[in-house]
Amino acid sequence: MASIKTYKRQSGAVTYRVVWRHGGSRSGDWQAEIFDDGETAKRFRDLVNGHGQQWPPGWVKGEGFVEPDEPECPADQLFPAYAHKSIALLADISGHTRTNYQKFIENHMTPWFRDLAVSDHANKITRDHVSQWINNPKEGRPGPHHEPGTVRRAYAPKTIANLHGLLFSILQTAVTADPPLRDSNPCAHTRLPKGDEAEDEEVFLEPEEYALLRAHLKEDAVDLVDALVGSGLRWGEATAFQPRDFTFTSKHPKLRVQRA
């Protein structure tokens, strides 16, 4: 059993030495730990006895209980690797869109999240990280991992909103992974910058105005522009059409919009 031996130094100070044989056997090596006060020594003695004459788990001689080092985050859970992999696995986007998403990750996200984890690791991406990422592009400030002297332009609110949507979807895959890598999405409930209402105001051409514009179009662009004007399609939707999206066999030709 562990016991306490008391020693008095020349200065008059008293030290308390907890001693025991490792494992409690007569042949076990002698172990010892020194304390400056008796109550701490008693608590440690009781811990040694409670753990079968062993050093208490997590106790470092001469230092006390030490928190174990956080295991290193797996490389595939760091943001750049995980983000690119999640985009590569998407099955409902075109190759062109996939390439754009990969560029967005590299240019607009990695300089902020390069060393952060998508999982619930000690160095995980938090809501504060996301907020800082939003504020930097809004003000035209570079990220912490941009090259020194990098000059950035301020992003429009809509650009930030689009990038935020992509980041949200990437981190959501970490939430819904099997097993989950984290409990919640740090992009949830983020406050995004508001755009200029005047800039979002819809403006419509009068028939004669469009007729004037149409007269100056190149011949091979007329059909495309007519489709845009007549349907209200966005450019990204119109340029993502595939042959199977067109139906000409019925009385009224149809376009099926299912991707952008």
Side-chain angles (χ1 to χ4, degrees):
M1 298 288 288
S3 61
I4 300 176
K5 297 184 180 295
T6 304
Y7 298 91
K8 191 172 184 178
R9 297 174 180 170
Q10 291 183 351
S11 63
V14 178
T15 60
Y16 303 87
R17 185 181 179 90
V18 179
V19 295
W20 72 97
R21 283 189 180 275
H22 185 72
S25 67
R26 292 183 178 181
S27 60
D29 293 337
W30 282 103
Q31 308 292 319
E33 183 68 296
I34 300 174
F35 298 90
D36 292 329
D37 69 278
E39 289 302 315
T40 303
K42 290 178 182 178
R43 288 196 293 271
F44 180 77
R45 177 200 62 190
D46 293 342
L47 285 171
V48 171
N49 289 333
H51 286 88
Q53 310 305 302
Q54 307 278 354
W55 289 89
W59 185 281
V60 176
K61 185 174 182 178
E63 297 183 31
F65 284 113
V66 176
E67 289 291 331
D69 292 335
E70 178 76 18
E72 186 176 352
C73 179
D76 61 355
Q77 292 180 15
L78 291 174
F79 177 80
Y82 188 87
H84 283 296
K85 181 180 177 180
S86 68
I87 296 304
L89 293 176
L90 290 177
D92 57 346
I93 60 174
S94 68
H96 176 70
T97 298
R98 196 186 313 278
T99 299
N100 282 339
Y101 283 174
Q102 302 286 13
K103 290 179 180 178
F104 293 161
I105 291 169
E106 201 60 33
N107 297 331
H108 307 306
M109 298 179 187
T110 297
W112 282 268
F113 305 125
R114 188 180 73 186
D115 296 334
L116 299 177
V118 300
S119 56
D120 274 327
H121 190 266
N123 199 33
K124 67 180 180 181
I125 297 175
T126 66
R127 187 176 297 181
D128 285 347
H129 290 127
V130 175
S131 296
Q132 188 62 50
W133 169 69
I134 290 172
N135 287 331
N136 282 176
K138 183 179 71 172
E139 302 297 333
R141 295 193 298 268
H145 297 296
H146 274 114
E147 291 293 328
T150 297
V151 178
R152 305 285 293 178
R153 61 177 176 81
Y155 290 2
K158 188 171 188 313
T159 300
I160 293 175
N162 290 341
L163 293 173
H164 178 267
L166 178 59
L167 179 64
F168 183 102
S169 68
I170 291 169
L171 296 178
Q172 188 62 24
T173 64
V175 176
T176 58
D178 184 19
L181 295 179
R182 60 185 304 144
D183 293 331
S184 61
N185 191 329
C187 286
H189 312 298
T190 305
R191 296 177 66 90
L192 297 175
K194 296 181 179 180
D196 183 357
E197 293 183 1
E199 132 181 316
D200 295 330
E201 182 181 354
E202 294 181 331
V203 178
F204 300 93
L205 294 176
E206 296 294 336
E208 59 274 13
E209 292 176 319
Y210 176 59
L212 178 61
L213 179 136
R214 190 176 187 276
H216 292 277
L217 294 175
K218 291 185 177 180
E219 184 177 353
D220 59 357
V222 172
D223 288 342
L224 175 59
V225 178
D226 278 345
L228 291 170
V229 174
S231 63
L233 287 170
R234 291 175 295 179
W235 178 255
E237 294 169 334
T239 55
F241 278 130
Q242 297 179 11
R244 66 175 183 267
D245 300 322
F246 295 81
T247 301
F248 297 113
T249 56
S250 61
K251 183 177 179 181
H252 300 288
K254 296 177 181 178
L255 295 176
R256 183 172 57 177
V257 181
Q258 56 180 356
R259 72 189 67 82

